[in-house]
Amino acid sequence: MSTEMELAARPTHHAVDGTFCNPWPDSTPRGWRDLLRWQRARRGQPRVPTPAHGSLPMAEPAVSHPRASVSETTATWIGHSTILLQIGGLNVLTDPVFSERAFPVQWMGPRRIMAPALDLDDLPPIDVVLLSHSHYDHLDKPAVKRLAQAHPDAAWVVPLGLGRYVRQWGVRTLVELDWWDRTEVRGLAVTATPARHFSARRIGDRNRTLWCGYAIERMGRRAYFAGDTAYHPEFGEIGSRCGPFDLVMMPIGAYDPRWFMHVVHVDPEEAVRAYTDLMGPAGAAHRSLMLGIHWGTFRLTDEPMDEPPRRTAACWHAAGLDPEHLWIARFGETRHW
Ligand code: ZN
Ligand code: ZN
């Protein structure tokens, strides 16, 4: 095959060297030099107080064991980007993180403010696990190992390249997807969707595994899990190809300082904009609940930890959206959708 043909065949988010990249302008995450600059600037500023451990609002999860009825559809926010979905008689888990710290070692790195609202041992039998990317606040090796052992029949869906990590940790049934690939596992239709982010887990593996969100569908009910993402121009296409969605799980936290974070995480204004893009021109007609995720659990960035819900609610109001359709969950809260 000629080089020209190879170029034509290579998707724009696949780099020539085999790594992955964001196909949109201004999408290269900041490097080590800027990370140091941010840390230095942080030292000179008055520290925003961190909420006391366990002090954010909590609720008692209402999970059906072992399964909800086929006609029931619920979501339980376990914390950060970890959500248990009970949909059409299946139990689906997103980005399962249960460790105390989101870091390679447990003696340093971002520590939890809020414990997981459900213990790993209290989960119902898991049918499908969706993993968005390799960052420590989304991919928790001890949790993967324990889940693989306790739920050996679960099917795992991961972006390209991530399979070899979780396979080493005991996962047996696994599907790797590229952006827009669609598969069906355990009766759940899953499409991996584009996201503007990056991946890194250890030195030398930056962008060697892909990052993505997921659109899922079962028995006519549709949900979208955005994973970790900055704002990008393809939310409208995700909505038109995979929607309309009944539930949108959208990150609303970890956004400051913007000069550093705008290429990797949406802020509340962009989260609301992404939601309206997903809805499309006819969006107002469809009732879609947005659950704000990726906040309040680990201190990762500079904004006050309880700011994301307030700012998201203000943007929601300013955009003229129905307040009934924004779900700022308490930790552990379950809701029908
Ligand atoms: Zn990430
Ligand atoms: Zn994250």
Side-chain angles (χ1 to χ4, degrees):
M1 197 160 59
S2 77
T3 315
E4 263 164 57
M5 275 179 74
E6 278 171 27
L7 276 174
R10 184 167 49 80
T12 50
H13 64 288
H14 289 221
V16 190
D17 64 357
T19 63
F20 300 97
C21 57
N22 296 293
W24 310 288
D26 182 31
S27 285
T28 307
R30 306 288 177 152
W32 286 107
R33 201 183 291 266
D34 279 332
L35 185 64
L36 293 174
R37 190 183 138 204
W38 172 31
Q39 297 304 324
R40 262 201 308 274
R42 236 179 170 184
R43 252 176 268 146
Q45 281 167 3
R47 197 100 164 95
V48 177
T50 300
H53 196 275
S55 64
L56 294 178
M58 284 184 272
E60 193 58 44
V63 174
S64 302
H65 288 271
R67 284 158 207 288
S69 71
V70 172
S71 59
E72 221 178 333
T73 315
T74 70
T76 301
W77 188 43
I78 298 175
H80 207 55
S81 299
T82 309
I83 302 145
L84 173 66
L85 299 165
Q86 299 202 285
I87 172 171
L90 295 178
N91 294 324
V92 180
L93 196 60
T94 65
D95 284 353
V97 174
F98 290 83
S99 289
E100 180 58 23
R101 290 183 191 265
F103 211 65
V105 290
Q106 287 296 308
W107 46 269
M108 64 175 289
R111 174 177 260 165
R112 275 180 183 277
I113 304 302
M114 297 299 291
L118 260 183
D119 196 82
L120 255 173
D121 297 327
D122 295 333
L123 289 170
I126 299 299
D127 301 296
V128 178
V129 183
L130 305 173
L131 293 180
S132 67
H133 65 302
S134 72
H135 285 150
Y136 282 85
D137 60 320
H138 297 259
L139 180 58
D140 173 6
K141 178 175 163 183
V144 172
K145 285 184 156 179
R146 284 180 57 194
L147 282 165
Q149 206 162 39
H151 305 267
D153 297 330
W156 294 60
V157 186
V158 307
L160 287 184
L162 210 54
R164 73 192 147 87
Y165 287 73
V166 295
R167 212 174 264 123
Q168 281 171 13
W169 304 337
V171 168
R172 273 175 268 176
T173 309
L174 182 106
V175 190
E176 271 194 13
L177 300 182
D178 197 357
W179 291 356
W180 298 118
D181 281 352
R182 189 177 190 275
T183 187
E184 188 155 326
V185 282
R186 308 279 186 266
L188 184 77
V190 183
T191 305
T193 53
R196 182 176 164 209
H197 201 62
F198 72 112
S199 71
R201 202 165 165 89
R202 50 189 183 219
I203 291 165
D205 77 343
R206 193 178 172 96
N207 294 349
R208 293 202 170 277
T209 62
L210 185 59
W211 47 94
C212 68
Y214 291 104
I216 61 171
E217 181 180 357
R218 178 160 165 90
M219 299 166 74
R221 304 293 288 172
R222 296 188 190 90
Y224 168 64
F225 171 72
D228 249 4
T229 186
Y231 185 77
H232 63 72
E234 289 189 44
F235 288 107
E237 200 177 341
I238 293 169
S240 62
R241 282 167 76 160
C242 307
F245 299 112
D246 304 292
L247 174 71
V248 167
M249 294 158 273
M250 180 66 73
I252 60 169
Y255 45 79
D256 276 343
R258 287 317 281 156
W259 68 267
F260 191 89
M261 291 296 163
H262 80 280
V263 289
V264 289
H265 292 146
V266 290
D267 64 12
E269 287 75 13
E270 291 165 330
V272 173
R273 197 170 149 205
Y275 169 87
T276 52
D277 290 357
L278 285 161
M279 294 304 106
H286 192 83
R287 187 197 174 282
S288 179
L289 186 66
M290 181 173 109
L291 166 63
I293 60 171
H294 204 257
W295 71 277
T297 316
F298 300 99
R299 173 175 279 295
L300 301 171
T301 47
D302 289 355
E303 78 275 5
M305 284 188 70
D306 56 353
E307 184 183 85
R310 279 185 275 126
R311 243 174 87 173
T312 307
C315 303
W316 196 264
H317 179 76
L321 295 164
D322 185 344
E324 290 282 303
H325 295 169
L326 175 62
W327 180 23
I328 300 297
R330 289 168 289 160
F331 283 80
E333 191 180 341
T334 302
R335 199 145 144 177
H336 283 84
W337 52 273

